[in-house]
């Protein structure tokens, strides 16, 4: 596993070694996706947004390899050899550090709803008190039976002194009403944590809980309530995953509407977390923008469109179509019922009408394909007219071959281009032509198989 990068003032620890058995899945729980990203990505990005570069993710022997592959080389992974509880997990993380940092921030790997400002407030509140050893991010008046309850004494409400955190699995009562709950987000004095974490005794379950530290030093523990209770939501099963997804998507839609994007019906619009959208773009109902899609300014997308991992320029119109891993330049109209498959490059001013499929093909600027076409493994020049029913026959049963169409060519309706084949600049094919040989520049080919028409007098 990777070594920690530096002796930073603050280190982030993400707990992701749980078995996640309630998910009933072969996929490790931290790799289940919400709003298009693995759950584990959210705490990693949260720490980075709060200025913490040194991050240790605690994994299990079973899920470590898969999680490490998703995180990449910039994150340290520490293996918790057996499921011994959160205190043991943090001890495994601290063992990867050359020295105890001044501050340790601990997050769960399955709580993607914590906002950056909440974590900044926690870190600031903790740093503001020199005698503080542990600060907990809490949610007041929350209904969360599976989260630990914070116990206070002294003054009423959130100003009372924290004396313990009672884990859900350890509670003796059956209380299901509102309570101040532990969100699983902590800020610790680093040297104190390093000294104390190995002193935590096992609970009745046999696990050593990090929350037991709250009762181990009188007066040095505090809880900071968050402003939005939804930040406490974690994921233990697929019902909770769905609930978290709903919150994330609502946040994403609200963000883009405040940034100058019109979303006509947010309830039927699904935008992933890594999508970017330009000013004055309109997103119509039943539309999904997924992956790392970028939509330019003044576009109209939808209704009934799916755009995945695609870059779209300005002033484009996409109607009831699917685009995946494609590039679309500005002033392009697409649809309805088009399908842009991976490596489709659509240059400026192109028009693709109904039922046009494009795969691994460059379509030059100003080209039009109005109806019922398949354009695969092709290079199509500028200003080409592609008639209805045109097919690039790119597959011979063994290999894929390329079709090249020169600029300003005219491809007649129902033309079949049997690749590999080239139609030269300014050339034309007749309706129903089956083109098996190259068509030189300026020439016309008609028939089955296509033959070149005689050149007109004076054309040479």
């Amino acid at each position: 596993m990777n070594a920690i990068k530096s002796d930073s003032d603050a280190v982030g620890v993400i707990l992701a070694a749980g078995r996640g058995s309630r998910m009933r899945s072969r996929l490790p729980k931290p790799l289940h996706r919400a709003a298009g990203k693995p759950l584990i990505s959210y705490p990693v990005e949260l720490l980075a947004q709060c200025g913490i570069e040194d991050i240790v993710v605690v994994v299990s022997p079973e899920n470590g390899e898969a999680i490490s592959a998703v995180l990449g080389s910039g994150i340290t992974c520490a293996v918790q050899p057996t499921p011994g509880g959160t205190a043991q997990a943090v001890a495994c993380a601290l063992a990867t550090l050359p020295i105890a940092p001044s501050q340790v921030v601990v997050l769960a790997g399955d709580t993607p709803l914590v906002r950056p400002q909440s974590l900044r407030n926690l870190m600031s509140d903790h740093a503001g008190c020199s005698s503080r050893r542990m600060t907990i991010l809490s949610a007041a008046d929350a209904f969360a039976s599976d989260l630990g309850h914070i116990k206070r004494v002294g003054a009423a409400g959130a100003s009372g002194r924290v004396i313990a955190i009672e884990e859900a699995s350890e509670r003796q009562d059956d209380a299901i009403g509102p309570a101040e709950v532990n969100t699983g987000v902590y800020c610790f004095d680093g040297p104190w944590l390093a000294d104390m974490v190995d002193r935590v005794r096992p609970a009745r379950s046999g696990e050593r809980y990090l929350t037991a530290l709250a009762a181990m030093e009188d007066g040095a523990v505090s809880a900071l309530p968050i402003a939005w209770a939804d930040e406490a939501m974690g994921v233990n099963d697929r019902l909770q995953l769905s609930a978290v997804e709903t919150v994330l998507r609502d946040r994403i839609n609200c963000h883009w509407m405040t940034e100058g994007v019109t979303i006509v019906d947010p309830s039927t619009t699904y935008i992933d977390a890594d999508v970017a959208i330009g000013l004055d773009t309109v997103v119509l109902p039943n539309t999904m923008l997924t992956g790392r899609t970028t939509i330019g300014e003044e576009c109209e997308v939808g209704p009934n469109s799916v755009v995945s991992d695609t870059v779209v320029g300005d002033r484009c119109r996409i109607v009831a179509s699917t685009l995946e891993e494609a590039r679309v330049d500005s002033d392009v109209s697409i649809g309805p019922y088009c399908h842009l498959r991976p490596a489709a490059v659509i240059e400026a001013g192109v028009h693709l009408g109904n039922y046009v499929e494009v795969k691994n093909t460059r379509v030059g600027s100003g080209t039009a394909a109005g109806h019922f076409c398949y354009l695969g493994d092709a290079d199509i020049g500028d200003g080409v007219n592609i008639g209805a029913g045109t097919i690039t026959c790119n597959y011979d049963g063994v290999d894929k071959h390329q079709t090249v169409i020169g600029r300003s060519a005219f491809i007649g309706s129902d033309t079949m281009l049997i690749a590999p084949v080239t139609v030269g600049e300014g050339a034309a094919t007749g309706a129903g032509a089956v083109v098996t040989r190259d068509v030189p520049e300026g020439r016309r080919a008609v028939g089955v198989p296509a033959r070149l028409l005689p050149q007109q007098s004076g054309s040479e």
Side-chain angles (χ1 to χ4, degrees):
M1 298 291 180
N2 302 314
I4 202 75
K5 296 191 289 294
S6 65
D7 298 339
S8 175
D9 289 339
V11 167
V13 174
I14 300 172
L15 308 181
R19 291 177 174 175
S21 56
R22 282 183 277 174
M23 294 296 290
R24 298 183 62 82
S25 175
R26 296 182 182 90
L27 183 70
K29 181 174 69 172
L31 300 185
H32 281 262
R33 303 177 80 84
K37 292 198 298 190
L39 292 173
I40 193 64
S41 296
Y42 287 93
V44 170
E45 293 176 7
L46 175 65
L47 290 168
Q49 289 170 342
C50 294
I52 299 178
E53 296 182 357
D54 289 335
I55 300 171
V56 182
V57 178
V58 183
V59 298
S60 70
E62 294 78 21
N63 68 18
E65 185 175 347
I67 291 176
S68 181
V70 169
L71 293 174
S73 59
I75 302 294
T76 299
C77 286
V79 177
Q80 183 180 10
T82 58
T86 51
Q88 184 196 64
V90 169
C92 293
L94 294 179
T96 68
L97 307 178
I99 61 172
S102 62
Q103 194 176 78
V104 177
V105 176
V106 177
L107 306 170
D110 58 2
T111 53
L113 297 180
V114 180
R115 292 174 169 87
Q117 190 57 50
S118 296
L119 185 56
R120 293 188 192 103
N121 290 344
L122 178 72
M123 295 171 65
S124 176
D125 186 78
H126 180 84
C129 181
S130 60
S131 62
R132 188 80 56 77
R133 297 292 178 258
M134 175 181 184
T135 307
I136 308 150
L137 199 62
S138 68
D141 297 323
F143 290 85
S145 60
D146 58 346
L147 296 180
H149 287 186
I150 292 174
K151 300 299 182 182
R152 297 179 184 262
V153 297
S159 59
R161 182 165 54 89
V162 174
I163 59 168
I165 303 173
E166 190 176 40
E167 289 284 349
S169 60
E170 301 293 313
R171 283 200 296 270
Q172 300 296 314
D173 58 71
D174 295 325
I176 58 173
E180 184 180 11
V181 300
N182 171 29
T183 66
V185 181
Y186 314 91
C187 194
F188 292 98
D189 174 80
W192 178 83
L193 177 64
D195 181 56
M196 297 293 289
V197 72
D198 287 328
R199 303 186 191 183
V200 175
R201 295 180 179 179
R204 290 195 308 272
S205 64
E207 294 192 4
R208 295 165 50 219
Y209 292 120
L210 191 64
T211 50
L213 292 169
M216 293 177 68
E217 185 155 343
D218 189 35
V221 179
S222 181
L224 180 68
I226 54 177
W228 298 277
D230 62 14
E231 294 185 61
M233 294 172 63
V235 175
N236 289 308
D237 56 35
R238 296 184 195 247
L239 295 175
Q240 291 177 337
L241 178 64
S242 176
V244 162
E245 176 106 12
T246 298
V247 174
L248 282 170
R249 294 203 179 279
D250 183 62
R251 286 187 190 177
I252 292 167
N253 287 349
C254 289
H255 166 76
W256 287 116
M257 287 187 284
T258 60
E259 290 295 312
V261 175
T262 295
I263 300 178
V264 174
D265 183 9
S267 67
T268 62
T269 301
Y270 299 84
I271 302 174
D272 276 356
D274 288 331
V275 169
I277 310 175
L279 190 70
D280 288 326
T281 282
V282 177
V283 183
L284 295 171
N286 298 319
T287 291
M288 298 180 66
L289 307 178
T290 68
R292 295 188 176 274
T293 289
T294 298
I295 306 292
E297 297 185 353
E298 299 179 41
C299 294
E300 187 170 288
V301 184
N304 307 313
S305 293
V306 178
V307 185
S308 301
D309 294 309
T310 292
V311 176
V312 177
D314 299 331
R315 299 174 302 280
C316 292
R317 178 81 170 92
I318 301 168
V319 184
S321 295
T322 298
L323 286 63
E324 49 183 330
E325 299 178 35
R327 192 194 87 201
V328 178
D329 292 346
S330 297
D331 302 298
V332 169
S333 64
I334 297 175
Y337 314 122
C338 284
H339 187 185
L340 268 56
R341 292 167 56 193
V345 176
I346 312 303
E347 296 185 350
V350 166
H351 168 66
L352 302 178
N354 48 290
Y355 301 103
V356 175
E357 180 176 353
V358 183
K359 187 270 293 186
N360 189 31
T361 290
R362 180 187 74 92
V363 181
S365 61
T367 287
H371 322 276
F372 308 101
C373 295
Y374 172 66
L375 308 172
D377 299 296
D379 189 306
I380 301 171
D382 299 346
V384 174
N385 182 87
I386 299 175
T390 295
I391 297 174
T392 57
C393 301
N394 56 330
Y395 184 50
D396 63 6
V398 178
D399 298 311
K400 299 288 181 69
H401 301 282
Q402 187 180 44
T403 297
V404 177
I405 303 175
R407 68 188 307 271
S408 302
F410 182 94
I411 307 300
S413 296
D414 282 332
T415 294
M416 292 189 180
L417 299 163
I418 313 301
V421 70
T422 296
V423 177
E425 180 177 336
T429 67
V434 177
V435 181
T436 59
R437 297 181 179 181
D438 293 350
V439 181
E441 293 184 8
R443 299 294 298 274
R444 297 182 180 184
V446 299
V448 181
R451 65 188 188 282
L452 295 177
L453 292 179
Q455 291 181 302
Q456 295 181 355
S457 177
S459 63
E460 295 183 344

